[in-house]
Amino acid sequence: MAGLIERYREFLPVTDQTPVISLEEGNTPLIPAPRLSQAVGADVYLKYEGANPTGSFKDRGMTMAVSKAAEHGAKAVICASTGNTSASAAAYAARAGMQCIVLIPEGKVALGKLAQVALSGASIVQIEGNFDQCLDMVRYLSEHYPVELVNSVNPFRIDGQKTGAFEIVDALGNPPTYQAMPVGNAGNITAYWAGYKLYRDVGKTGALPTMLGFQAAGAAPIVHGAPVTHPETVATAIRIGNPASWKQAEVARDESGGTIQAVTDEEILEAYRFLSSKEGVFCEPASAAGVAGILRLGKEGFFKASDSIVCILTGNGLKDPQTAMRFSEEIAVMAPDGRALAEHLSLQPVG
Ligand SMILES: *Cc1c(COP(=O)(O)O)cnc(C)c1O
């Protein structure tokens, strides 16, 4: 299966002159979630973006951004990142033979993401500050030096990320009633909404979904209507206090008749564990924010049984092993003794 530029070429700003830099991203599973459906009171599917080559949805935008950078003759790309953008940029830049420069907030990037960038040979700098300050720095550097910015303020990122919406409509035949997702810098909610509208405009579907966005309570500027100077949350991928696509996220919310709400870290971790223990689906904490949101709305009786909901699980659980371990039981260590093991595991003998 070719990557998403080849599959959706007619809907993307590429020409025969565009060198396609691809790792065969996209075409991710849309997994039915029976236990979650029961808990929420509607038909829920999980769009498993952790199956992308670098383990997050960022690859959809990055294949476009780096291909266009190559078309422009760029020799280097730069990004600010809470982790996944840098992992993706590093991989696609390596593939394109470009230099990659990454600025990350000091001490706030999950281990798996850091490992991906570290091995890639990208130039990586931790900034004494948060993501928003990293973004200011890469904007400055890309304006004054010959490095191409590949954050989601790069419009080609949004173009590539629209393909997630195309895949959902192609799989279900129509958009779901609701789409639920985490909101950080707000590029992804912007991209999905644009993707659904484009698919409607070309006649692939007559309907549009209602967009449900969820921010972490400690990093919820859109919910509160003001930037957050010191964003804090266990969901580091959405630890953002001043989203670059703030206005576009509000447009997606308002045009679709949807909502953007805050979920607590406790709710996020509960949803994170629910997905792993009841559905067998391992995502990173930020990805569980959308699921936390629909679990709460479900309890409030928000959904009808005939509704369908797609949750975008934005990143792979393997990205953040430390959070998974921190919120799990300690693992027992025992001698290789059959009887003692059976007792420890509360197993009853056969017959
Ligand atoms: C980037 C990211 C988000 C947030 O997406 P935005 O486009 O910044 O709103 C959410 N979850 C994960 C895993 C991410 O990597």
Side-chain angles (χ1 to χ4, degrees):
M1 177 69 77
L4 58 82
I5 293 181
E6 294 307 345
R7 272 186 299 128
Y8 292 111
R9 179 173 273 276
E10 61 185 304
F11 303 115
L12 295 170
V14 290
T15 69
D16 296 343
Q17 263 59 62
T18 313
V20 174
I21 312 297
S22 173
L23 294 167
E24 308 220 349
E25 56 295 310
N27 194 34
T28 56
L30 188 63
I31 309 169
R35 303 249 167 59
L36 185 56
S37 298
Q38 197 173 19
V40 163
D43 209 6
V44 185
Y45 298 82
L46 306 169
K47 181 68 170 161
Y48 193 63
E49 292 291 280
N52 277 298
T54 79
S56 85
F57 77 84
K58 299 298 198 300
D59 294 346
R60 294 184 184 275
M62 209 54 76
T63 184
M64 274 299 302
V66 174
S67 295
K68 295 302 281 189
E71 184 178 342
H72 303 149
K75 299 280 181 282
V77 294
I78 189 168
C79 65
S81 181
T82 60
N84 282 329
T85 295
S86 62
S88 187
Y92 284 84
R95 190 78 183 184
M98 288 179 197
Q99 188 195 357
C100 179
I101 304 167
V102 165
L103 302 191
I104 56 173
E106 183 187 11
K108 295 294 182 182
V109 171
L111 189 62
K113 307 173 189 182
L114 216 47
Q116 288 177 289
V117 182
L119 192 64
S120 75
S123 308
I124 178 165
V125 183
Q126 299 196 65
I127 299 296
E128 298 167 343
N130 58 33
F131 170 84
D132 306 283
Q133 291 164 304
C134 293
L135 188 58
D136 288 344
M137 286 299 103
V138 298
R139 281 179 144 146
Y140 167 80
L141 290 171
S142 66
E143 273 164 30
H144 296 92
Y145 299 88
V147 288
E148 188 132 328
L149 183 61
V150 294
N151 278 103
S152 59
V153 293
N154 177 327
F156 300 121
R157 281 277 307 278
I158 304 294
D159 285 321
Q161 288 173 208
K162 287 176 190 167
T163 60
F166 303 163
E167 288 179 15
I168 290 168
V169 176
D170 288 345
L172 297 178
N174 267 307
T177 324
Y178 295 97
Q179 175 171 309
M181 64 198 305
V183 175
N185 214 25
N188 211 27
I189 191 169
T190 301
Y192 266 96
W193 183 238
Y196 284 120
K197 286 203 297 185
L198 178 58
Y199 242 34
R200 181 202 53 184
D201 292 346
V202 300
K204 289 271 191 181
T205 171
L208 290 170
T210 297
M211 305 295 281
L212 307 175
F214 297 94
Q215 300 197 291
I222 300 176
V223 177
H224 299 125
V228 175
T229 317
H230 299 292
E232 225 19 281
T233 169
V234 67
T236 50
I238 53 173
R239 186 178 170 272
I240 292 175
N242 191 11
S245 299
W246 187 324
K247 285 285 159 306
Q248 295 91 317
E250 290 181 338
V251 168
R253 176 194 66 193
D254 297 342
E255 285 185 355
S256 74
T259 180
I260 297 179
Q261 299 188 6
V263 286
T264 65
D265 277 10
E266 207 171 41
E267 290 175 300
I268 289 172
L269 290 168
E270 199 178 308
Y272 175 58
R273 194 181 280 118
F274 185 104
L275 288 169
S276 180
S277 64
K278 305 288 191 227
E279 298 289 6
V281 173
F282 189 32
C283 66
E284 64 173 284
S287 307
V291 174
I294 65 162
L295 279 167
R296 188 211 289 154
L297 290 175
K299 282 195 197 109
E300 294 169 359
F302 184 88
F303 300 110
K304 295 197 298 283
S306 57
D307 289 339
S308 57
I309 309 170
V310 171
C311 293
I312 312 300
L313 297 191
T314 45
N316 196 302
L318 296 170
K319 293 279 193 173
D320 191 354
Q322 288 170 315
T323 299
M325 295 305 287
R326 194 143 39 95
F327 293 95
S328 303
E329 308 250 316
E330 229 182 277
I331 298 172
V333 181
M334 293 186 69
D337 173 329
R339 288 264 179 92
L341 281 167
E343 192 172 322
H344 172 75
L345 296 167
S346 308
L347 296 177
Q348 300 300 323
V350 188

